[in-house]
Amino acid sequence: PMSWVKFNAVYDKPFWRGKVLGSQFLCLDRRVEAFDISPVDESFGEIVGFLLPDFSDRQSGDMAAYAKRFLEEVYGPGAGEPRSFAIQDWNAEPRVGGCVSSLKPGLLTRIGPALSDPVGPIHFAGTERSSAWVNYMEGAVQSGQSVAGRVLGELAPSNRQQVVPA
């Protein structure tokens, strides 16, 4: 299965805020998805996006130009000329296997519960262990908070065994 190509565009400011209707765009016919991930203080602007590499411009190999045209159309004049731009075709990386997730379809459904179980005193957290937003930063944060809560619960004085001096 083909997976997404990821791109990041960085700007001096998130100039599109207040001018476009939302911060997330999914364009099914163009097969592009983009998110405004600029910091709250607006110290700079950043858009992260994903595109499926089966679009017509792939034949020319100019995925960056395709992504920048999309940014310009959606976020307005100037969005196609970020101060910094990076694009990565994870399909071309033999040891990665793609993005957003390199996991095969159905894998989390089959073995997901095992990812949540601690091994002795070791607890695991990560986006693949999240109950929501799997493969996204939000999922990693949710998973970390959940595991931290469990660990704190286990460390609570009421859960500790009493050590009686010999």
Side-chain angles (χ1 to χ4, degrees):
M2 201 174 316
S3 68
W4 297 90
V5 173
K6 184 176 184 179
F7 63 88
N8 282 74
V10 178
Y11 307 85
D12 292 331
K13 294 283 181 194
F15 58 84
W16 53 87
R17 289 194 174 164
K19 296 178 183 175
V20 295
L21 293 177
S23 61
Q24 176 182 353
F25 294 91
L26 175 61
C27 186
L28 295 175
D29 61 331
R30 299 273 303 276
R31 305 181 75 131
V32 181
E33 185 175 19
F35 304 87
D36 175 357
I37 60 168
S38 307
V40 175
D41 69 4
E42 298 190 356
S43 55
F44 64 92
E46 184 168 4
I47 298 169
V48 63
F50 302 92
L51 54 96
L52 281 174
D54 62 346
F55 57 86
S56 61
D57 284 8
R58 176 139 172 99
Q59 305 313 317
S60 67
D62 200 353
M63 292 182 282
Y66 184 87
K68 289 178 182 178
R69 280 196 307 275
F70 173 80
L71 290 171
E72 187 89 19
E73 291 171 15
V74 171
Y75 292 94
E81 299 176 20
R83 85 171 176 211
S84 174
F85 185 82
I87 189 164
Q88 178 63 46
D89 182 355
W90 290 106
N91 297 287
E93 299 296 328
R95 291 181 180 84
V96 175
C99 119
V100 164
S101 175
S102 59
L103 302 177
K104 301 292 183 212
L107 182 66
L108 287 177
T109 306
R110 286 194 315 276
I111 68 162
L115 295 174
S116 301
D117 297 337
V119 176
I122 302 170
H123 292 254
F124 300 95
T127 185
E128 290 81 9
R129 293 164 175 85
S130 176
S131 61
W133 288 100
V134 175
N135 295 318
Y136 291 93
M137 186 64 200
E138 292 88 344
V141 170
Q142 185 273 338
S143 173
Q145 290 172 334
S146 176
V147 169
R150 283 199 309 269
V151 169
L152 287 172
E154 289 180 15
L155 294 175
S158 63
N159 290 338
R160 292 186 189 162
Q161 293 180 351
Q162 288 290 334
V163 177
V164 181

